[in-house]
Amino acid sequence: MASWVPIEQHSDFSLQNLPFGVFSTQSLDQRIGVAVGNHVLDMKALAHNDVFVGLDFDTATLQKSTLNQYAALGRDIHRSVRTFLQNLLSDKTPHAALLRDNDRLRSAALISMRDVKMHLPMAVGDYTDFFVVPYHAQNVGQTLPAAFFEQPLGYHGRASSVVVSGTPVRRPRGQFVGQDGKATFGPSQKLDYEVEFAAFVTHGQQKMGESIEVNDGEDLIFGFVLLNDWSARDIQRRETAPLGPFNGKNFCTTISPWIVSPDALEPYRTAPLRSGPWLPYLNGGREDSVYDILIQVQIQSKSGTFDVSRCNTKNVVFSFPQMLAHHTAGGCPMRTGDLIATGTLSGATPQEYGCLLEVTCDGANQLKVSNAQNQEMCRTFLDDGDSVIFTTYLPRKDGIGGVGFGMCEGQILACH
Amino acid sequence: MASWVPIEQHSDFSLQNLPFGVFSTQSLDQRIGVAVGNHVLDMKALAHNDVFVGLDFDTATLQKSTLNQYAALGRDIHRSVRTFLQNLLSDKTPHAALLRDNDRLRSAALISMRDVKMHLPMAVGDYTDFFVVPYHAQNVGQTLPAAFFEQPLGYHGRASSVVVSGTPVRRPRGQFVGQDGKATFGPSQKLDYEVEFAAFVTHGQQKMGESIEVNDGEDLIFGFVLLNDWSARDIQRRETAPLGPFNGKNFCTTISPWIVSPDALEPYRTAPLRSGPWLPYLNGGREDSVYDILIQVQIQSKSGTFDVSRCNTKNVVFSFPQMLAHHTAGGCPMRTGDLIATGTLSGATPQEYGCLLEVTCDGANQLKVSNAQNQEMCRTFLDDGDSVIFTTYLPRKDGIGGVGFGMCEGQILACH
């Protein structure tokens, strides 16, 4: 499917993708946009100019400053809007005339990505981080919890700490046990990233106390983002028993700016690591319930940019619909804009490790890497000034256009 | 301080209190009110009728459907509004004429408590539950975590699960190990309450990455509520390692409807269980940094209403300002409407146990109680149909009017 908008061959944002985000420019207030090639299509302008003719949905939802109200419309409407936008941007359909041949609207609504600032796409109600990847614990020699294969274990993260890619990450201070064995307070000495994949929820149950079936879970996912669950290992270690992660995690969580729809990821479906047996409430749904997406991890330091590892989103023992079913099994209310993440997406080999805790064995070993420019970098944990960058590497089986997430990036700032 | 509004001697809502809540009636939409005696004073009506003459604040904040925007104005304005309302309702000041002698406004704005339905007073951004009471763990024979006395341990709860008193509580289903030692899924067999005290935050840091000093914490608390952290012990046990409580807690958390200001609680200040030594970031603030408030726990069953225990809010090793300082030490953003709770407020003796897990030693013993009507009740955990009721018992040292929280109540409904 070719577009009249120029789209580079390796662009993340072909007509197969069309992810939604929230942006602003120097002259435009915060609003909803769709990424296409190196441009952002201004949904507020399109809705305001009655471009969505013939589509039966509340176009006011596309004129808000977050995607929550649009997400709440449900998957059927998202699919019809997606198809409409593909036709609008295609060079082979009459719909294209609505925008391509309208000079005033086109020049107003099609904005160069260079000129936009991205914002958090959804107002996050609650953020939940699961732990459904066995290799993350195994790679650091930990025994998996007793219930690991029987339920998607998870904890509630900090919604206020979720930020969009590009937001600097302040190195946290906290309590930890120093090298002298005494409790101390100061800048974390073990600042780490975690490679994760996350889903935004369209809407939850009708009533508190109700649960979501695995079979219904697919239709409750608005889309996906890459997620960096920044972790301060020393702070985390001291606080974690018995209540789980707290200050070791709640200082920042970064997500990629574009929400990629399940429809765009349909060609990349695969099966998870396990297919059961489970207790009945976790049964149902498709066999190819997860995605085969490689996430490339890079550290950009003063000495250059370095590949660290590649993690695959398929290395999970439970799918998002199963996570939703478990999360709501007791009646926990799920709401539009809630965010659920997989936990660290490590694989079994060092090339697939999803955090420096694994790569350096909690700092016991040094990570030594070089790049094509013969630059070198050594790390145990992250230094001030380092940027951690996640991008996707999606093999295009049919060769007709890429699907990616853009960048999930954050740079470490020194403590205040 | 006497009022021209009738206030019974043992009312929770004297002129010393004047707590804020959100209510509706059959004819009035959801709005902010202040409790006085057996009446609710409609703040929207007062603001709309320009009653707050001479006070320099944005009265539109009192015409919203939650208290968030009013809370964000800060403690100085809350204090001046409180003083203004005390004068307006007092029978000894000329201000009283503004309302008492305005028949039309008085009859519109002063509403019988019988006619109101209470709502969640704040939109809760994030909800954090701390664990700062040593007796809760000790009473069930658990060792306190290594860091217990050195930092306020806590975990992120589920904001979407916070409901106002009176909301029914659906017994959760979940995964637990049955009597045969096998994992099973079904209605929790160990449904419990936890007696807690909680604070709503006026506002947080200016910028992400900044922290809050203990000395500044007092001024960031809008007010307090009673909180019931409903817990399914069997579900909780299976899931809790290593990430902490999840489905065992996230099905429901009940708060009392009226937010009592720090100013109203000033006469009840006392010192916490410990005064240090702490790492320097936890130092500061007043010595009498907590409150001496007894919370009465009752179970209302088919066979009658029974006193179970009394818990005191002073049984903590850290104050709310210290919790805020620790919570934000690494830069975690705090926002208007965030809710932080103490954890189970148990005391050292059985009469002060804060949950049935303690009272019955995890179901090993039966709780057997009788009441003044010679009715009897036996329980290990909660039955369907039981209501759990928290009320406050505040000794009035100066005899000039009561301060209470109203009721924190929820009734258990059978599983769907």
Side-chain angles (χ1 to χ4, degrees):
Chain A
M1 199 187 295
S3 175
W4 53 264
V5 180
I7 301 176
E8 291 167 20
Q9 197 193 342
H10 296 289
S11 169
D12 280 353
F13 307 123
S14 72
L15 291 196
Q16 318 305 325
N17 194 353
L18 300 182
F20 280 71
V22 167
F23 74 100
S24 64
T25 69
Q26 285 208 321
S27 57
L28 300 176
D29 59 359
Q30 192 175 318
R31 60 186 60 199
I32 295 168
V34 166
V36 51
N38 290 321
H39 287 82
V40 177
L41 192 55
D42 179 347
M43 291 293 108
K44 185 172 182 177
L46 261 54
H48 186 71
N49 284 278
D50 296 326
V51 168
F52 297 100
V53 281
L55 281 186
D56 184 21
F57 77 103
D58 179 7
T59 57
T61 59
L62 285 176
Q63 301 182 58
K64 306 292 179 184
S65 59
T66 69
L67 277 157
N68 292 58
Q69 286 174 272
Y70 177 69
L73 295 178
R75 288 288 304 284
D76 287 345
I77 286 169
H78 303 155
R79 283 194 197 95
S80 59
V81 171
R82 174 181 153 82
T83 303
F84 181 92
L85 289 173
Q86 285 179 326
N87 289 330
L88 187 71
L89 295 165
S90 164
D91 58 10
K92 296 217 178 70
T93 64
H95 294 74
L98 283 171
L99 185 60
R100 181 190 58 200
D101 303 340
N102 182 336
D103 288 348
R104 190 192 54 76
L105 182 58
R106 192 191 62 241
S107 64
L110 203 59
I111 299 156
S112 168
M113 241 180 223
R114 279 194 307 269
D115 299 330
V116 307
K117 175 178 158 59
M118 299 304 296
H119 301 272
L120 205 58
M122 303 273 268
V124 180
D126 278 288
Y127 157 49
T128 303
D129 199 13
F130 281 93
F131 168 32
V132 294
V133 180
Y135 305 115
H136 174 51
Q138 289 170 344
N139 291 342
V140 288
Q142 288 173 0
T143 312
L144 290 170
F148 182 83
F149 290 108
E150 300 187 28
Q151 62 175 257
L153 294 168
Y155 68 97
H156 300 114
R158 180 81 187 178
S160 72
S161 76
V162 180
V163 301
V164 74
S165 177
T167 307
V169 181
R170 184 73 61 184
R171 178 181 297 272
R173 284 196 174 81
Q175 244 191 68
F176 52 88
V177 177
Q179 291 184 327
D180 58 359
K182 288 186 183 166
T184 184
F185 179 82
S188 170
Q189 303 299 302
K190 294 190 171 181
L191 186 51
D192 200 357
Y193 59 83
E194 289 190 346
V195 180
E196 304 198 15
F197 192 53
F200 276 109
V201 172
T202 57
H203 57 275
Q205 311 94 307
Q206 292 290 313
K207 283 186 192 165
M208 188 152 183
E210 293 181 350
S211 55
I212 291 170
E213 304 282 318
V214 175
N215 279 323
D216 298 329
E218 295 275 356
D219 273 346
L220 298 179
I221 293 171
F222 177 55
F224 302 94
V225 291
L226 310 181
L227 184 146
N228 187 341
D229 176 28
W230 303 94
S231 300
R233 301 301 179 189
D234 38 11
I235 298 170
Q236 185 185 349
R237 183 149 310 137
R238 182 155 176 80
E239 73 189 2
T240 206
L243 297 175
F246 188 56
N247 280 359
K249 303 267 194 184
N250 66 19
F251 57 96
C252 192
T253 300
T254 303
I255 62 170
S256 54
W258 296 105
I259 303 180
V260 176
S261 71
D263 302 304
L265 294 181
E266 197 61 30
Y268 307 97
R269 280 187 173 272
T270 189
L273 293 178
R274 292 238 171 168
S275 58
W278 297 300
L279 288 166
Y281 80 105
L282 291 171
N283 287 334
R286 303 167 53 143
E287 282 186 21
D288 54 351
S289 61
V290 303
Y291 301 97
D292 182 359
I293 302 171
L294 272 178
I295 302 173
Q296 170 81 51
V297 183
Q298 294 177 305
I299 296 178
Q300 184 179 329
S301 75
K302 286 169 202 158
S303 49
T305 301
F306 302 89
D307 293 346
V308 179
S309 62
R310 280 182 180 182
C311 299
N312 200 306
T313 60
K314 71 184 178 187
N315 284 328
V316 294
V317 295
F318 292 104
S319 67
F320 282 111
Q322 287 176 306
M323 293 183 225
L324 281 173
H326 178 71
H327 203 326
T328 61
C332 174
M334 199 61 58
R335 299 179 295 189
T336 297
D338 285 348
L339 181 65
I340 58 178
T342 55
T344 313
L345 283 168
S346 310
T349 71
Q351 292 75 36
E352 302 168 277
Y353 285 0
C355 59
L356 290 174
L357 178 77
E358 296 173 41
V359 171
T360 70
C361 199
D362 194 22
N365 310 319
Q366 280 225 326
L367 164 72
K368 292 185 186 174
V369 280
S370 56
N371 61 17
Q373 291 79 45
N374 283 320
Q375 297 164 321
E376 290 188 342
M377 182 186 72
C378 291
R379 284 289 180 280
T380 49
F381 287 96
L382 296 170
D383 281 359
D384 292 342
D386 287 352
S387 290
V388 178
I389 302 168
F390 302 162
T391 49
T392 40
Y393 173 76
L394 277 170
R396 273 157 287 179
K397 294 168 190 166
D398 52 11
I400 55 157
V403 172
F405 290 76
M407 204 181 262
C408 178
E409 184 269 340
Q411 185 177 27
I412 308 299
L413 302 184
C415 275
H416 277 300
Chain B
M1 200 186 296
S3 175
W4 52 265
V5 180
I7 301 177
E8 290 168 20
Q9 199 194 341
H10 296 290
S11 169
D12 280 352
F13 307 122
S14 73
L15 290 195
Q16 318 305 327
N17 194 353
L18 300 182
F20 280 71
V22 167
F23 74 100
S24 64
T25 70
Q26 285 207 320
S27 56
L28 300 176
D29 58 0
Q30 193 175 317
R31 58 185 60 198
I32 296 168
V34 165
V36 51
N38 290 321
H39 287 82
V40 177
L41 191 55
D42 179 347
M43 290 294 109
K44 186 173 181 176
L46 260 53
H48 185 71
N49 285 278
D50 296 326
V51 168
F52 297 100
V53 282
L55 282 186
D56 183 21
F57 76 104
D58 179 8
T59 57
T61 58
L62 286 177
Q63 301 182 59
K64 308 291 180 185
S65 58
T66 70
L67 277 157
N68 292 59
Q69 286 174 270
Y70 177 69
L73 296 178
R75 289 287 304 283
D76 286 345
I77 286 169
H78 304 155
R79 283 195 198 96
S80 60
V81 171
R82 175 182 153 81
T83 303
F84 181 91
L85 290 172
Q86 285 179 327
N87 288 330
L88 187 72
L89 295 165
S90 164
D91 59 10
K92 297 220 178 71
T93 64
H95 295 74
L98 283 170
L99 185 61
R100 182 192 56 202
D101 302 342
N102 181 336
D103 287 349
R104 192 192 51 78
L105 181 59
R106 193 192 62 240
S107 64
L110 203 59
I111 300 156
S112 167
M113 242 180 221
R114 277 193 309 268
D115 298 330
V116 308
K117 174 178 159 59
M118 298 305 295
H119 301 272
L120 206 58
M122 302 274 268
V124 180
D126 279 287
Y127 157 50
T128 303
D129 199 13
F130 281 93
F131 169 32
V132 294
V133 180
Y135 306 114
H136 175 50
Q138 291 170 342
N139 290 343
V140 288
Q142 288 173 1
T143 313
L144 290 170
F148 182 84
F149 291 108
E150 300 186 27
Q151 61 175 257
L153 294 168
Y155 68 97
H156 301 114
R158 180 82 186 176
S160 72
S161 76
V162 179
V163 301
V164 73
S165 176
T167 308
V169 181
R170 184 74 59 183
R171 178 182 296 272
R173 284 195 174 81
Q175 245 193 65
F176 53 87
V177 177
Q179 292 184 326
D180 58 1
K182 290 185 182 167
T184 186
F185 179 81
S188 169
Q189 303 300 302
K190 293 189 171 182
L191 186 51
D192 201 356
Y193 59 83
E194 289 190 346
V195 180
E196 305 199 13
F197 192 53
F200 275 108
V201 171
T202 57
H203 57 277
Q205 311 94 310
Q206 291 292 312
K207 284 184 190 166
M208 189 153 182
E210 293 181 349
S211 55
I212 292 169
E213 304 282 319
V214 175
N215 278 325
D216 298 329
E218 294 275 356
D219 274 345
L220 299 179
I221 293 170
F222 177 54
F224 302 94
V225 290
L226 311 181
L227 184 146
N228 187 341
D229 176 26
W230 303 94
S231 300
R233 300 300 179 191
D234 37 13
I235 298 170
Q236 185 185 350
R237 184 150 308 138
R238 182 153 175 81
E239 73 189 3
T240 206
L243 297 176
F246 188 56
N247 280 0
K249 302 267 195 183
N250 66 18
F251 57 96
C252 192
T253 300
T254 303
I255 62 171
S256 55
W258 295 105
I259 302 180
V260 176
S261 71
D263 302 303
L265 294 181
E266 197 60 30
Y268 307 97
R269 280 186 173 274
T270 188
L273 292 177
R274 291 235 171 173
S275 58
W278 297 299
L279 288 165
Y281 80 105
L282 290 171
N283 287 335
R286 303 167 55 142
E287 282 186 24
D288 53 351
S289 60
V290 303
Y291 301 96
D292 182 359
I293 302 171
L294 271 179
I295 303 173
Q296 169 82 51
V297 182
Q298 294 177 305
I299 296 178
Q300 185 179 329
S301 74
K302 286 169 203 159
S303 50
T305 301
F306 302 90
D307 293 346
V308 178
S309 62
R310 280 183 180 183
C311 300
N312 200 306
T313 61
K314 72 183 178 186
N315 283 329
V316 293
V317 295
F318 293 104
S319 67
F320 282 110
Q322 288 177 304
M323 294 183 223
L324 281 173
H326 178 72
H327 203 326
T328 62
C332 174
M334 199 61 57
R335 299 179 295 189
T336 298
D338 285 347
L339 181 65
I340 57 179
T342 53
T344 313
L345 282 168
S346 309
T349 71
Q351 292 74 37
E352 301 168 278
Y353 285 0
C355 59
L356 290 174
L357 178 77
E358 295 173 40
V359 172
T360 70
C361 200
D362 193 23
N365 310 320
Q366 281 225 325
L367 163 71
K368 292 184 186 175
V369 279
S370 56
N371 60 17
Q373 291 78 44
N374 282 321
Q375 297 163 320
E376 290 188 342
M377 182 186 73
C378 291
R379 286 289 181 279
T380 50
F381 288 96
L382 296 169
D383 282 358
D384 293 342
D386 286 352
S387 290
V388 179
I389 302 167
F390 302 162
T391 49
T392 40
Y393 175 76
L394 277 170
R396 275 156 286 182
K397 296 168 189 167
D398 51 12
I400 57 158
V403 172
F405 289 76
M407 204 181 263
C408 177
E409 183 269 341
Q411 185 177 26
I412 308 298
L413 302 184
C415 275
H416 278 298

